[in-house]
Amino acid sequence: MIELLFSPAAWASLATLTLLEIVLGIDNVVFISVLVSRLPAATARRARQIGFVAGLDLPHPAADGHLLDHRADGAGADGICP
């Protein structure tokens, strides 16, 4: 495991994932802003707060392996269907 600290491929992967998280985070902010701009002012603030908290608190499916552990038959790595 310690060899990963000195692996250029591991550092490149970390940089790529970090860049993707930043880009997707900005995309989420823009998307929420566009949706909230269509709401009445009375509900816009609360909707913006809920959207930003949900974007921060909900894990990305790929981050915890849900997109990576599915077999061709639709079952997960543990044999249980999602």
Side-chain angles (χ1 to χ4, degrees):
M1 189 62 138
I2 193 81
E3 62 272 1
L4 286 178
L5 289 175
F6 304 106
S7 169
W11 285 103
S13 296
L14 180 63
T16 301
L17 287 174
T18 302
L19 181 65
L20 282 171
E21 286 293 329
I22 292 169
V23 169
L24 292 175
I26 293 169
D27 180 58
N28 287 343
V29 169
V30 170
F31 182 73
I32 291 169
S33 298
V34 168
L35 289 180
V36 167
S37 68
R38 299 176 182 182
L39 293 174
T43 58
R45 182 169 186 252
R46 182 72 176 145
R48 188 177 306 111
Q49 289 174 343
I50 291 171
F52 290 153
V53 168
L56 291 173
D57 286 346
L58 295 176
H60 298 289
D64 58 4
H66 286 307
L67 293 180
L68 305 175
D69 67 354
H70 290 283
R71 299 187 320 215
D73 62 359
D78 55 3
I80 300 172
C81 290

